[in-house]
């Protein structure tokens, strides 16, 4: 309860300025339904046509299996737009985060949590550039986040991947 409601996310700059946008779909004249999920096309439209918003990012949680050196590991993943880490003001412990240039389908950057780095990759100091596979897509580890970082929410995240790369055909 403390982390979910009272204590701001660690390693996030200005958490008081973050909010989740809910889109309302009219059901009838007097009621609507709020949705906090939308398509990537709708997100892209908001990003391009909402100049009054300082930063906008997209994210989607998923549970997955990551293959590292031929071994499988369960992971909680977050697919994110290239603006996600900049909106949070979060910096990596090692390497770099996913950036707007990673919104192109050819990007295979992956950012991992400190805990995942330690438990699955043995805290390897040469982890940057190491290849991992998620859903038959190859990624190179581009960064490791600081201990305790879980993004904008209290739920554990092991790996952050670019939405665009995760959506490409394999």
């Amino acid at each position: 309860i403390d982390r979910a409601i009272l204590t701001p996310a660690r390693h996030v700059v200005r958490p008081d300025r973050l909010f989740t946008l809910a889109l309302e779909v009219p059901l009838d004249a007097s009621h609507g339904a709020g949705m906090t999920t939308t398509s990537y096309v709708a997100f892209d439209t908001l990003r391009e046509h909402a100049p009054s918003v300082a930063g906008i990012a997209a994210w989607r949680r998923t549970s997955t299996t990551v293959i590292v050196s031929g071994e499988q590991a369960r992971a909680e993943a977050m697919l994110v737009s290239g603006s996600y880490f900049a909106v949070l003001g979060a910096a990596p412990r090692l390497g770099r985060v996913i950036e707007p240039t990673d919104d192109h389908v050819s990007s295979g950057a992956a950012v991992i949590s400190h805990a995942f780095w330690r438990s699955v990759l043995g805290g390897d100091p040469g982890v940057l550039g190491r290849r991992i596979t998620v859903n038959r897509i190859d990624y190179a580890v581009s960064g490791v986040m600081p201990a305790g970082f879980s993004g904008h929410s209290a739920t554990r995240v092991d790996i952050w991947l670019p939405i665009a790369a995760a959506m490409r055909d394999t």
Side-chain angles (χ1 to χ4, degrees):
I1 291 174
D2 177 60
R3 172 58 178 89
I5 298 172
L6 305 173
T7 304
R10 289 178 61 195
H11 310 287
V12 173
V13 175
R14 304 288 313 261
D16 59 317
R17 303 211 23 147
L18 293 176
F19 62 92
T20 299
L21 177 67
L23 304 175
E24 189 163 308
V25 177
L27 297 175
D28 61 41
S30 62
H31 295 87
M35 301 182 326
T36 56
T37 62
T38 189
S39 69
Y40 191 81
V41 172
F43 158 72
D44 201 36
T45 301
L46 284 169
R47 178 173 51 184
E48 297 299 320
H49 300 290
S52 61
V53 177
I56 184 169
W59 55 273
R60 185 176 74 91
R61 291 188 175 284
T62 186
S63 292
T64 191
T65 300
V66 178
I67 299 172
V68 179
S69 301
E71 298 292 321
Q72 293 184 3
R74 291 294 303 155
E76 295 304 315
M78 189 172 293
L79 308 178
V80 299
S81 63
S83 55
Y84 180 79
F85 291 97
V87 166
L88 298 180
R93 180 181 189 276
L94 294 173
R96 71 167 183 89
V97 294
I98 294 169
E99 301 169 339
T101 55
D102 294 311
D103 281 338
H104 305 291
V105 243
S106 61
S107 174
V111 175
I112 59 176
S113 71
H114 187 270
F116 191 81
W117 175 56
R118 301 284 299 175
S119 65
V120 176
L121 295 157
D124 175 12
V127 70
L128 299 181
R130 192 155 169 196
R131 307 302 292 178
I132 61 174
T133 304
V134 181
N135 294 333
R136 298 183 318 264
I137 299 174
D138 288 327
Y139 296 90
V141 175
S142 66
V144 176
M145 295 309 290
F149 179 81
S150 63
H152 66 284
S153 72
T155 306
R156 183 188 101 231
V157 178
D158 298 309
I159 186 169
W160 292 264
L161 304 168
I163 285 178
M167 291 188 312
R168 73 181 177 202
D169 292 333
T170 57

